[in-house]
Amino acid sequence: MTKANRCWRHICRLEEILEGTGVCAKVEGRQVAVFRLEGKLYALSNYDPFTRANVLSRGILGNRGERRYVASPLLKHRFDLETGECLDDAQVCIPTYAVRCERGEVWVGLLGRER
Amino acid sequence: MTKRLVIIGNGMVGHKFIETLCSQPHDFTITTFCEEPHLAYDRVHLSRYFQSPRPNLGLADPETYRAWGVRVIHARAQAIDRTRRVVVASGCEVEYDLLVLATGSYPFVPPIEGRELEGCFVYRTLDDLARLEAYAGKARTGVVLGGGLLGLEAAGALQALGLKTHVVELAPRLLPQQVDELGGKHLFRYVKALGIEIHLGKTSKRIQGQKGRVVALEFADGGVLETDLVVFAAGVRPRDELARQAGLSIGERGGVVIDDYCRTSDPYIYAIGECAAHRGRTYGLVGPGYQMARVLAERLLGKESRFSGADTSTRLKLLGAEVASFGDAQAESPGATEVLYTDFARGLYKKLVFSEEGRLLGGILVGDTAAYPTLHGLLGERLEQPESLLLPSSAGSAPLPAKAQVCNCTGVARQQICEAVRAGARDLAALKQATQAGTGCGGCVPLLTEILQQELKALGEAVCHHICEHFPYSRAELFDIVRVMGYRTFEELLQGHGRGLGCEVCKPAVASILASLHNEYILKDELLPLQDTNDRFLANLQRDGTYSVVPRIPGGEITPDKLMAIASVAKKYGLYTKITGGQRIDLFGAHLHQLPQIWAELVAAGFESGHAYGKALRTVKSCVGDTWCRYGVQDSVGLAIRLENRYKGLRAPHKIKAAVSGCVRECAEAQSKDFGIIATERGWNLYVCGNGGMKPRHADLLAADLDEETLVRYIDRFLMFYIRTADRLQRTSVWLEKLEGGIEYLRQVIVEDKLGIGGELEAQMAQIIASYQDEWATTLQDPEKLKRFRHFVNSEEPDENIVRVEVRGQYRPAYDFERLTALPMNQGGAHD
């Protein structure tokens, strides 16, 4: 069902995301959390499936070994920034999105129709 | 049809009966005879009468009785006429349909020559104590006959009155009913060290007098002890003379015979408490009496309830010595075996009694009774490691019973947690995953951590105190590193002493350390990524992703204008409003983008941030004090406001709560706080390290009768010492438990300045106080910071996923089951 044509949506300027934190963007009706950590950008769903609230963009960023993650501000479940996997419960995984920065502007890429 | 219910006796048990009955609708007209001029008072703590200021021991008061419609006749009942169903007293007769005897007991005075001399006392009523006190003013030496509970209480009282005190006991040890020989030896040493002379195994022959007054006590073995007064504390006997006269059945060893429903041999007459004999047994303790009172009240209210004997376990503090005895303490069961721990140097003696199959039958604790509730709850159980419950508490507090629930949200018991650790869950995250404990409200996480460490230790594994994988240090060590190196950012600390990027554990901990040391604006760009969401948005995140707002209301004092300002904000933004446990007002349901507008209005009305979102000082609660209260002896409101303003914004390893009570009635509940202050007639008493919560702990008295400046100095030192040395998220109560030397050591550091750091701690506090700023006022001045207060970076819309339901005239977040019907399935974007 997946089409390959990715469409990019402009989010904000890079300087609007403070190093070591995240913001939440509304993209095609979705809530996308965009994080900036050590020179890299990551985009995940903003929805914490454990608490059913849209709050992940407000979590603290950290690492466990090689894995970088965001810890939900509600009950502290941790989600891998690259893959969306939950580090505390292998059964749970949240959507991730493509993200890039061009000339100081941040873009999130959505597939034309996911799944 | 109302029935006439008459109670003879208004002691602790008589009062408990009336109280229990009157807590429910009933159809009795109640009359009670009260022989003493006072209504019921706390006889168990009678010796507190000699404390200064004199406490109120009263349990009942005339207003309450009036409100309950209870008629009190201050007279001694002289006879019961069972045929006419009438109680006869001097000057009146009172008819009854049901009669309750709660006449208690009288002190036993052995038939010894000289007992009628002036200077002989019993120890039973407030009047007895008043007479003793008056006589003791002219005396220098006093003798207590009896080395049981009452005797030691009386000895403490004589000492408090300034007398050279002797205790004479017939048995070869003190507290012969409660402890065994070895326990008695420990007590002997302890009591003797207090300066009380003890004479064991002594039979008294005669009290010698001169001019009608006591001058000496003569023993059967010929010895003579010179003394100015004698207090009889040789036990009590049931007061059953009314029942005898009335022809009711009396037990072999005295007491009115009752059945399991507290009925005497006359179906219209009941008996409860120390005057009653149940299955041949009388109880000289208040606990069983209370049980009988409850059983009878419930019977009269039409409920099925029976008394089937009582547990005589006791836990006491006598002359400051902790003593507990429970179950088969004397190991009298056939085949019983004992496990002992004894340490004379520290005054500790502990014994557990087991059956042949290894079930706990009873025990004795002297010197440290912290394990008593746990052990009492384990009676009849097999114990895996009895020694862990006997070892001194400095080796870690006594572990919870295996079946004790640790996580109430998920219903996980200690046993399951230990099993998970043994099965390989060796850190908190793994343990949470394996057991689900700590994944609900998170309130049990500190307890979970403690159990994890205990279990790792039991497995012989090194317990790691490192705060997380990024720093090989404990919080206290990190604090010292930051202080000594003068670091001001997380980056500096990480580069100098850590590895990796940090995490949700170390980042907020370091943010807190930096705030405690430098008190910079916490939303500075370098500090912001470290802050937990609450600190990051200066509000409390609630379960649906919205926030609640708590303005500071120092001491709980608020003007009508300020109340109106809060009300208008709440109304304008549709916020759910609730008074908090700490005398403030919480406004729930604010969207992220509304926080700046809400705070602009609150700041304009004169409010400051309440720091309800931070690990920081929350409230200093107060009673109304002598401002209005007719009992108050000091201005508790004024002091609470001063203290709250002094320490507002102070960040700490855990949130800090405090309270000030204006008198010993303790309406502010100061003893359940991190620091609590109770007014005395001579100044302020300072209590520290109490808490409510999962493992409640009463605060310890650190210093008494302080003037206000000394009080403030001690609190400065105490708070800063705690902030420097506690673990992450460690409350003051747990911190004190782990502090080697306990409250004594803390007193040396704070009061005596043993470490010589008092001045430094005060200076550091002074610097924090001087650098206070209202974080919301600062934030409102900075348009760049305010940009972060919106849900979407690219849209002004709020979070559409938030669904509200009306309850009792206000709005709350929907629960999941409500949400399913309220939301279209494909809404929210992230559900796919």
Side-chain angles (χ1 to χ4, degrees), chain B residues 5-56:
Chain B
L5 176 63
V6 175
I7 302 121
I8 302 180
N10 192 250
M12 298 178 82
V13 171
H15 170 67
K16 175 62 76 182
F17 168 69
I18 292 173
E19 187 183 57
T20 313
L21 190 63
C22 291
S23 67
Q24 303 279 330
H26 63 79
D27 43 42
F28 294 100
T29 54
I30 304 174
T31 303
T32 180
F33 281 89
C34 179
E35 177 182 286
E36 291 187 53
H38 337 267
L39 289 177
Y41 52 85
D42 183 358
R43 207 184 299 282
V44 173
H45 296 107
L46 205 55
S47 296
R48 290 193 187 153
Y49 175 82
F50 295 110
Q51 284 174 1
S52 176
R54 192 157 280 178
N56 177 13

Side-chain angles (χ1 to χ4, degrees), chain B residues 263-313:
Chain B
R263 264 185 319 215
T264 68
S265 51
D266 177 331
Y268 299 101
I269 303 180
Y270 296 81
I272 53 177
E274 297 184 3
C275 67
H278 178 259
R279 300 184 192 172
R281 183 169 184 187
T282 54
Y283 294 94
L285 292 169
V286 75
Y290 274 4
Q291 279 185 42
M292 293 181 209
R294 190 178 47 74
V295 165
L296 180 57
E298 286 177 358
R299 292 287 303 176
L300 297 189
L301 290 166
K303 285 179 220 160
E304 170 63 31
S305 191
R306 49 163 71 207
F307 179 77
S308 49
D311 179 17
T312 53
S313 301

Side-chain angles (χ1 to χ4, degrees), chain B residues 746-811:
Chain B
L746 188 60
R747 191 175 291 122
Q748 286 168 1
V749 173
I750 305 301
V751 177
E752 296 158 26
D753 198 11
K754 179 190 179 183
L755 303 181
I757 58 170
E760 191 186 327
L761 296 174
E762 287 165 42
Q764 201 178 337
M765 184 62 84
Q767 184 209 326
I768 299 296
I769 292 163
S771 55
Y772 170 79
Q773 58 181 314
D774 175 25
E775 290 158 353
W776 264 111
T778 307
T779 303
L780 290 169
Q781 302 297 316
D782 186 342
E784 282 303 308
K785 294 282 183 284
L786 292 180
K787 278 190 188 167
R788 301 213 178 90
F789 290 85
R790 51 184 177 167
H791 191 75
F792 295 112
V793 70
N794 58 347
S795 161
E796 296 304 319
E797 292 168 46
D799 179 0
E800 73 286 342
N801 188 33
I802 290 168
V803 183
R804 295 282 159 83
V805 173
E806 196 188 317
V807 56
R808 295 181 291 274
Q810 304 199 70
Y811 289 97

Side-chain angles (χ1 to χ4, degrees), chain B residues 248-505:
Chain B
L248 298 176
S249 298
I250 300 295
E252 265 177 49
R253 280 175 280 175
V256 193
V257 171
I258 58 167
D259 63 11
D260 287 1
Y261 305 119
C262 302
R263 264 185 319 215
T264 68
S265 51
D266 177 331
Y268 299 101
I269 303 180
Y270 296 81
I272 53 177
E274 297 184 3
C275 67
H278 178 259
R279 300 184 192 172
R281 183 169 184 187
T282 54
Y283 294 94
L285 292 169
V286 75
Y290 274 4
Q291 279 185 42
M292 293 181 209
R294 190 178 47 74
V295 165
L296 180 57
E298 286 177 358
R299 292 287 303 176
L300 297 189
L301 290 166
K303 285 179 220 160
E304 170 63 31
S305 191
R306 49 163 71 207
F307 179 77
S308 49
D311 179 17
T312 53
S313 301
T314 34
R315 182 189 189 182
L316 316 139
K317 209 166 187 171
L318 281 170
L319 302 164
E322 292 184 34
V323 181
S325 111
F326 58 99
D328 181 14
Q330 311 281 4
E332 286 161 348
S333 311
T337 55
E338 300 176 354
V339 176
L340 300 180
Y341 174 85
T342 172
D343 180 346
F344 270 101
R346 298 172 62 183
L348 295 177
Y349 173 63
K350 303 180 184 190
K351 177 175 95 170
L352 296 183
V353 179
F354 292 92
S355 70
E356 270 173 312
E357 313 88 71
R359 297 186 186 279
L360 182 64
L361 297 178
I364 294 171
L365 305 170
V366 178
D368 173 14
T369 59
Y372 171 77
T374 305
L375 288 168
H376 192 259
L378 290 172
L379 275 176
E381 301 272 338
R382 282 174 199 277
L383 296 195
E384 294 158 24
Q385 293 175 298
E387 63 279 8
S388 66
L389 291 157
L390 289 183
L391 291 176
S393 57
S394 62
S397 51
L400 290 167
K403 290 176 187 163
Q405 199 157 92
V406 172
C407 180
N408 288 311
C409 302
T410 58
V412 177
R414 179 172 167 272
Q415 202 165 8
Q416 289 157 275
I417 294 163
C418 295
E419 278 163 14
V421 176
R422 286 194 287 266
R426 299 290 156 93
D427 64 34
L428 194 60
L431 196 55
K432 279 180 170 180
Q433 197 175 333
T435 62
Q436 292 302 301
T439 59
C441 73
C444 62
V445 169
L447 191 56
L448 204 57
T449 311
E450 197 179 318
I451 294 170
L452 170 67
Q453 295 189 350
Q454 282 170 355
E455 199 56 29
L456 286 176
K457 211 181 257 175
L459 290 170
E461 298 206 0
V463 177
C464 174
H465 293 289
H466 301 173
I467 192 163
C468 63
E469 71 175 67
H470 306 102
F471 293 100
Y473 303 103
S474 68
R475 180 192 173 277
E477 288 166 339
L478 280 180
F479 192 100
D480 284 336
I481 291 170
V482 175
R483 183 170 62 90
V484 172
M485 301 300 286
Y487 291 143
R488 285 186 169 260
T489 65
F490 182 76
E491 286 309 311
E492 290 171 328
L493 178 65
L494 191 65
Q495 274 166 26
H497 303 269
R499 59 172 173 267
L501 305 173
C503 66
E504 75 284 5
V505 173

Side-chain angles (χ1 to χ4, degrees), chain B residues 47 50 123 144 150-162 165 167 196 319:
Chain B
S47 296
F50 295 110
Y123 199 82
V144 177
L150 192 64
L152 293 186
E153 282 276 333
L158 289 187
Q159 254 213 332
L161 290 170
T165 304
V167 172
I196 295 174
L319 302 164

